[in-house]
Amino acid sequence: AGATFSVVVSVPAGATYQGQGMCGSAAYGNIANGGVYSTATTATLNISNSTGLNGVKYRCVVTNAAGTAQVTTKGAELTVA
């Protein structure tokens, strides 16, 4: 089964999005499109197959067009039943 994580933020035009993931106690890292992930640089991260991803935490970093300000969402943990 797949999963979707979305963020809703009020940002000016030109803002960028970067999905990040963290497994266990490792640091968050940027997610690239490919494999089970798509739309990693949009407000919605799509995961086509969540097998083996139970417990992974996801968040999004939103940066303004000038690159001078960032907002990082709180992490959300994926639970696969």
Side-chain angles (χ1 to χ4, degrees):
T4 299
F5 287 92
S6 296
V7 296
V8 178
V9 293
S10 178
V11 295
T16 61
Y17 299 84
Q18 177 60 62
Q20 294 186 325
M22 176 181 78
C23 187
S25 60
Y28 277 97
N30 289 346
I31 295 172
N33 291 324
V36 299
Y37 298 112
S38 63
T39 63
T41 56
T42 71
T44 301
L45 172 65
N46 288 300
I47 303 169
S48 62
N49 184 348
S50 59
T51 302
L53 299 177
N54 188 55
V56 175
K57 293 181 183 172
Y58 295 94
R59 69 180 187 184
C60 185
V61 178
V62 184
T63 306
N64 69 354
T68 57
Q70 287 186 335
V71 174
T72 303
T73 65
K74 291 189 177 205
E77 185 171 338
L78 177 63
T79 301
V80 179

